């Protein structure tokens, strides 16, 4: 079902979501960029849906927090700190590439063995997605069919039509949320306007990855000199890993709690570009060279994912390109490996 919500009613709609018992996260305009924040009832006017991408991936940050306590050990007893799956969390304004990245993370974390922490958070999450109304020079979602619009994976879906938003339902949970929020039904003109918007945004996307036969090309390029060339540019900062919505690696450490005499087990994000990532006992490291680490990053997205999870592991969000201090661009790397002019 499709409805129309006036632009000025977004704060009212946000308040409605909170009134239904949801903890709401939504984009807020910052000094330089938008970022997703928890929205209290008196902050609904701050919700701003005019952005291309946030620096940090909103769904990964919510479902796998950058640092979380997995369990506590006190007096010899293990206490799991599982999130409450019956709580309600809603996230408003997530773009299609990030929703599709969440679907990829589900394959990783909800396959065998299931990660109970991810699962509990995913079960309690309601996704109000937002089709893109513009794109910038970093976007290349059309290469993977992961944007700029969505067909599935959302509970509710907004499309910006200027003075109003088209709101579509994608699940029973989404339909229930709006069942007592009055909105007029959308007309065929509204739907046509949505189609025009999506067509226009597709036309704005200039960056592409040619995925035809890509796995074969990547396998053939394992010893290509490009990896050494990139290692000469890369700083090993790991920013690409951290901002990537599909990078899912983590580290676990046991930390003593001096006041209680117990121990806490902490999970933190990790990344294959970081030197410590492949470090093992006694100072060994399987990927000492940056060339091996950057080759791993690109191959995992554009090659290994296919065997592991049945699809490529990139959604074309452009974050790794925008944030790389060395100007390394995964689309240009692939183009060069294909022998194409980037
Ligand atoms: S590899 Fe880069 S473009 Fe692809 S999903 Fe990750 S951050 Fe986005
Ligand atoms: S963001 Fe750029 S410089 Fe930093 S690790 Fe990734 S590729 Fe290297």
């Amino acid at each position: 079902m499709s409805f129309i919500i006036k632009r000025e009613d977004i704060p009212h709609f946000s308040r409605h979501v909170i009134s239904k018992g949801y903890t709401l996260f939504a984009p807020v305009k910052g000094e330089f960029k938008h970022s997703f924040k928890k929205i209290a009832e008196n902050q609904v006017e701050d919700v701003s849906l005019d952005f291309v991408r946030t620096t940090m991936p909103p769904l990964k940050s919510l479902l796998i927090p950058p640092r979380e306590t997995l369990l506590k050990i006190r007096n010899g007893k293990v206490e799991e700190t599982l999130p409450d799956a019956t709580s309600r969390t809603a996230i408003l304004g997530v773009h299609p590439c990030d929703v599709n990245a969440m679907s990829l993370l589900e394959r990783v974390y909800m396959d065998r063995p299931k990660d109970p922490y991810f699962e509990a958070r995913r079960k309690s999450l309601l996704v109000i997605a937002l089709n893109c109304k513009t794109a910038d020079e970093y976007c290349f979602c059309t290469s993977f069919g992961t944007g700029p619009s969505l067909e599935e994976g959302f509970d509710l879906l907004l499309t910006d039509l200027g003075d109003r938003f088209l709101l579509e339902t994608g699940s029973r949970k989404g339909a229930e949320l709006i069942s007592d929020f009055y909105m007029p039904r959308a007309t065929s003109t509204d739907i046509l306007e949505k189609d025009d918007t999506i067509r226009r945004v597709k036309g704005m996307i200039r960056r592409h990855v040619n995925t035809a036969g890509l796995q074969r090309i990547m396998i053939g390029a394992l010893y290509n000199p490009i990896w050494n060339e990139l290692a000469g540019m890369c700083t090993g900062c790991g920013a690409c890993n951290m901002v990537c919505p599909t990078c899912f690696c983590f580290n676990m450490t046991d930390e003593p709690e001096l006041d209680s005499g117990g121990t806490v087990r902490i999970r933190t994000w990790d990344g294959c570009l970081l030197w410590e990532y492949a470090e093992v006992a006694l100072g060994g490291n399987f990927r000492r060279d940056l060339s091996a680490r950057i080759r791993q990053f690109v191959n995992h997205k554009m090659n290994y994912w296919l065997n592991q999870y049945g699809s490529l592991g990139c959604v074309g969000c452009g974050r790794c390109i925008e944030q790389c201090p060395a100007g390394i661009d995964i689309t240009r790397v692939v183009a060069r490996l294909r022998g194409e002019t980037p």
Side-chain angles (χ1 to χ4, degrees):
M1 293 239 268
S2 308
F3 301 90
I4 286 295
I5 176 165
K6 283 194 248 158
R7 179 170 282 276
E8 64 262 30
D9 282 343
I10 290 295
H12 178 38
F13 177 66
S14 304
R15 199 173 291 114
H16 173 78
V17 176
I18 296 169
S19 76
K20 293 290 173 185
Y22 285 95
T23 301
L24 177 65
F25 291 83
V28 170
K29 196 166 184 270
E31 193 181 346
F32 301 109
K33 289 197 82 161
H34 280 65
S35 60
F36 279 78
K37 298 251 188 302
K38 188 170 160 182
I39 306 291
E41 219 171 319
N42 62 358
Q43 295 170 318
V44 292
E45 299 288 343
D46 296 344
V47 174
S48 165
L49 300 178
D50 296 311
F51 70 106
V52 176
R53 82 176 66 67
T54 52
T55 301
M56 297 310 288
L59 288 166
K60 173 172 128 176
S61 305
L62 208 56
L63 293 167
I64 325 160
R67 179 183 166 92
E68 73 171 315
T69 302
L70 297 182
L71 50 89
K72 297 177 178 178
I73 305 164
R74 289 199 182 120
N75 302 321
K77 289 204 180 96
V78 177
E79 183 193 321
E80 275 190 339
T81 51
L82 276 176
D84 178 7
T86 61
S87 65
R88 292 177 157 200
T89 304
I91 187 162
L92 164 69
V94 189
H95 283 317
C97 59
D98 281 324
V99 175
N100 279 302
M102 178 180 68
S103 305
L104 295 182
L105 291 179
E106 284 169 359
R107 288 187 219 170
V108 177
Y109 279 90
M110 290 175 72
D111 200 354
R112 287 161 294 164
K114 279 188 184 182
D115 181 283
Y117 299 83
F118 181 98
E119 189 183 28
R121 291 199 180 91
R122 179 64 190 98
K123 276 189 175 157
S124 67
L125 184 65
L126 179 123
V127 177
I128 307 168
L130 173 67
N131 280 333
C132 297
K133 74 161 184 185
T134 185
D136 69 11
E137 68 270 33
Y138 302 111
C139 300
F140 58 106
C141 55
T142 43
S143 300
F144 307 104
T146 48
S149 60
L150 266 183
E151 302 302 326
E152 57 186 17
F154 56 86
D155 297 293
L156 293 169
L157 173 66
L158 292 162
T159 307
D160 190 338
L161 302 180
D163 59 342
R164 66 204 189 286
F165 288 86
L166 178 74
L167 187 143
E168 296 165 84
T169 52
S171 73
R172 205 160 76 187
K173 207 155 74 162
E176 267 168 27
L177 174 68
I178 58 165
S179 60
D180 57 351
F181 185 81
Y182 174 73
M183 287 171 285
R185 286 280 181 90
T187 64
S188 51
T189 313
D190 298 318
I191 307 287
L192 285 175
E193 216 175 304
K194 169 193 167 178
D195 294 344
D196 281 349
T197 302
I198 303 303
R199 234 189 324 271
R200 184 178 51 76
V201 181
K202 279 185 179 167
M204 294 168 84
I205 294 174
R206 293 277 166 265
R207 205 176 278 273
H208 296 285
V209 162
N210 178 356
T211 58
L214 185 54
Q215 190 172 38
R216 188 178 41 78
I217 290 164
M218 295 302 297
I219 292 168
L222 282 180
Y223 299 100
N224 192 297
I226 195 173
W227 307 120
N228 284 330
E229 187 188 320
L230 293 171
M233 300 161 65
C234 176
T235 64
C237 66
C240 47
N241 292 134
M242 299 301 135
V243 299
C244 177
T246 68
C247 271
F248 56 80
C249 290
F250 58 81
N251 193 13
M252 279 201 285
T253 46
D254 287 350
E255 297 181 6
E257 272 191 327
L258 295 179
D259 51 348
S260 70
T263 305
V264 284
R265 179 159 295 172
I266 308 286
R267 169 157 73 179
T268 44
W269 288 0
D270 204 350
C272 55
L273 262 301
L274 299 172
W275 192 88
E276 300 87 351
Y277 180 81
E279 195 181 21
V280 291
L282 302 175
N285 194 319
F286 296 109
R287 292 204 200 104
R288 235 172 242 286
D289 292 339
L290 258 175
S291 58
R293 307 212 288 275
I294 199 149
R295 181 177 69 178
Q296 164 65 22
F297 177 75
V298 179
N299 268 279
H300 199 207
K301 305 294 174 196
M302 302 292 176
N303 174 5
Y304 309 145
W305 257 84
L306 269 172
N307 292 349
Q308 278 182 296
Y309 303 109
S311 72
L312 294 174
C314 175
V315 293
C317 71
R319 285 187 177 94
C320 59
I321 308 170
E322 187 182 21
Q323 296 305 325
C324 178
I328 293 173
D329 172 345
I330 195 167
T331 66
R332 292 172 74 94
V333 173
V334 172
R336 280 190 52 197
L337 292 175
R338 299 190 68 103
E340 295 168 356
T341 315

